[in-house]
Amino acid sequence: MNSTANSHSVQAEALLTRVSLRTPARALARAVWVFAVLAGPVLLPMHSKTVLAAENIPAEPAKHVEQSVDVGAVSLVLGRAYVERGGLQDPDQKVSRQRLQAGDAVRVGDRLYTEAGGHVHVRFVDDALVSVRPSSTLDIVRYDYDAKNPSDSAVKFELSEGVARAISGQAAKSARQRFRLNTPIAAIGVRGTDFVVSADALSTRALVNEGSIVVAPFSSECSVEALGPCAADAVELTQNTLQAVEVN
């Protein structure tokens, strides 16, 4: 992990383009702001049928990994970082909370969160890497890695606040249409990628260090529950571009 995203963010002060999204009535307030960092933004057509991303895959009865099965391990902790276990998938389950240390296992259904100054790195079973930055909360919603048939894998995260960096492992590389990172207002799909996302209740910003991602606001055509990138009103980002989806 490095500070590339932070230095790029400082350079992204000059606004180049504002693109209004054509969304359903309940999402008309959404707009996409695209900033240039080193190179200009790559925008996909604003019509769902012509966007290059595939339609998002509906939620399915899953072969979800049981919560007791480890899907990754903590490789680094700086400051205070915690795991909250139980309750994410089963609201009736008792929730436990413990401070994270290097070597601790992570599981489907875990909520990782950091205090100010806290930082945690996780390496998953398919060699994916995720860094959770200070004052952030990341849920591991789904991590079905099929080592024999990687194209059947499915991965889903939810960043409710803060900043996270994700470097794709074999699951996302082999099953790009079955990877999703949700924020409070947007869905992010990947194309074999190293990217950084910053999110809160009103905005989502993403910087691509390598590869590309597809970002789209939630709507009737882009479901929170689905997998993969959304096609409706999507924008594709390549490395060295910064974009934000904002609710006015």
Side-chain angles (χ1 to χ4, degrees), residues 15-211:
L15 174 65
L16 291 191
T17 309
R18 177 180 178 179
V19 181
S20 295
L21 295 182
R22 298 176 182 175
T23 55
R26 65 180 181 178
L28 284 176
R30 292 192 177 102
V32 173
W33 291 79
V34 181
F35 298 78
V37 179
L38 297 179
V42 176
L43 299 183
L44 293 177
M46 290 293 103
H47 301 282
S48 62
K49 297 306 179 182
T50 56
V51 172
L52 298 181
E55 295 289 347
N56 53 313
I57 300 171
E60 58 190 40
K63 50 176 183 180
H64 281 240
V65 177
E66 297 295 329
Q67 280 189 306
S68 59
V69 176
D70 299 345
V71 297
V74 175
S75 58
L76 174 71
V77 178
L78 300 174
R80 292 180 179 272
Y82 301 86
V83 59
E84 192 174 276
R85 186 163 290 159
L88 183 60
Q89 292 182 321
D90 183 359
D92 295 327
Q93 187 177 7
K94 184 178 179 180
V95 177
S96 64
R97 175 179 178 269
Q98 67 182 54
R99 188 168 176 178
L100 284 170
Q101 299 179 14
D104 285 350
V106 296
R107 303 168 182 171
V108 172
D110 281 357
R111 170 168 290 167
L112 309 179
Y113 62 96
T114 56
E115 293 184 353
H119 201 137
V120 59
H121 293 184
V122 177
R123 180 179 292 275
F124 288 88
V125 292
D126 63 331
D127 284 331
L129 295 172
V130 171
S131 167
V132 184
R133 305 290 174 85
S135 303
S136 303
T137 301
L138 180 77
D139 294 345
I140 305 172
V141 179
R142 183 171 180 178
Y143 217 98
D144 299 339
Y145 174 54
D146 189 329
K148 293 183 178 180
N149 299 290
S151 61
D152 292 335
S153 302
V155 175
K156 190 172 187 179
F157 297 111
E158 183 172 322
L159 180 67
S160 56
E161 63 177 347
V163 180
R165 180 180 179 184
I167 301 177
S168 298
Q170 287 303 313
K173 291 176 181 178
S174 301
R176 296 176 182 178
Q177 303 308 322
R178 298 170 63 82
F179 175 96
R180 168 74 72 85
L181 188 151
N182 282 345
T183 71
I185 67 166
I188 298 175
V190 302
R191 295 170 185 256
T193 306
D194 172 356
F195 68 101
V196 180
V197 178
S198 173
D200 58 31
L202 298 179
S203 67
T204 295
R205 293 178 173 83
L207 173 70
V208 179
N209 295 319
E210 183 178 348

Side-chain angles (χ1 to χ4, degrees), residues 200-230:
D200 58 31
L202 298 179
S203 67
T204 295
R205 293 178 173 83
L207 173 70
V208 179
N209 295 319
E210 183 178 348
S212 63
I213 61 176
V214 177
V215 184
F218 292 127
S219 68
S220 59
E221 297 177 77
C222 183
S223 168
V224 174
E225 291 77 18
L227 281 172
C230 293

